[in-house]
Amino acid sequence: MMESNSLNRFAITYKAGDIIFCEHEIGDKFFMLKGGRIKLMRVIGDTEKTIAILQAGDFFGEMSILNDNPRNSTAIALEESTVLSFTKENLGLLVKNNPTMCIALLKLFSKRIYDQRRQLQILQLDDDVSKVVDVLLMLIDGLPPQSANENARAIPVNVETVANWAGLSVDSARHVLNAYVSQRKMIVSPEQIIVNNISELQRFINNKRKVN
């Protein structure tokens, strides 16, 4: 797939430290990483946070062709990296010449749309606890299936990411999580959050939505 000569015309190589695009700028292109590593980072509060390290085959910047919103992150090359840069108009060429890439892109778009709809549901909840709990349930839904008898799950996420999804400050999200930690219902570390009783969280959110 990656060796297709028809796509080489879209290749751009960046040196380590080069900025591919910046948060808040208007974008009209999306990218596929062909080689190297790209870091996506976002300013949360007063701090720059890394939200993803991309590897070859990953798409990024695709939201610019789904809507006209500004970029929600900054992309920086961690090492010499080659990307394929596409515009909306190039989509036709992708569909024609590379159906495998097209299918991967459609799956990514579908996931992004689902994520946006799910985040809207979260933001419509009216209290911090519900928002944080629903973020955790959403993230659990995105993990590989596990045995029906298992009611605990480790989520590879940090407090900053939960706060971002919930539309809360980091301190507010941490306050909610610490309350669950003190009740021994969760374990929070810099790399992951372990939920000890998924069913309890699901019942809480189901009851919350019935009330609303």
Side-chain angles (χ1 to χ4, degrees), residues 2 18 20 54 62 77 114 135 175 179 187 191 194 200 205:
M2 298 298 297
D18 283 353
I20 301 169
L54 305 180
E62 73 284 347
Y114 169 80
V135 167
H175 177 75
I187 299 172
E191 296 81 21
I194 300 175
E200 181 182 14
I205 285 299

Side-chain angles (χ1 to χ4, degrees), residues 5-56:
N5 292 331
S6 64
L7 298 178
N8 287 339
R9 76 183 78 171
F10 304 113
I12 302 174
T13 297
Y14 294 91
K15 298 178 181 177
D18 283 353
I19 296 175
I20 301 169
F21 58 73
C22 293
E23 186 177 2
H24 303 309
E25 74 178 20
I26 300 298
D28 60 355
K29 297 175 182 174
F30 68 102
F31 306 88
M32 180 179 180
L33 182 55
K34 186 176 182 181
R37 290 189 307 146
I38 300 292
K39 178 173 72 173
L40 297 182
M41 53 186 295
R42 183 183 302 165
V43 175
I44 301 175
D46 297 326
T47 307
E48 292 181 346
K49 298 291 184 182
T50 298
I51 57 175
I53 303 295
L54 305 180
Q55 310 290 335

Side-chain angles (χ1 to χ4, degrees), residues 30 32-33 53 67 84 96 108-109 126-127 129 136 140 156 160 166 179 182 187 194 196-197 204 207-209:
F30 68 102
M32 180 179 180
L33 182 55
I53 303 295
N67 53 49
L84 300 179
K96 179 180 179 181
L108 178 66
F109 287 169
D126 58 8
D127 64 276
V129 176
L136 295 176
I140 289 171
E160 287 80 5
S182 66
I187 299 172
I194 300 175
N196 291 327
N197 192 330
F204 173 79
N207 290 333
K208 183 69 181 181
R209 294 198 189 285

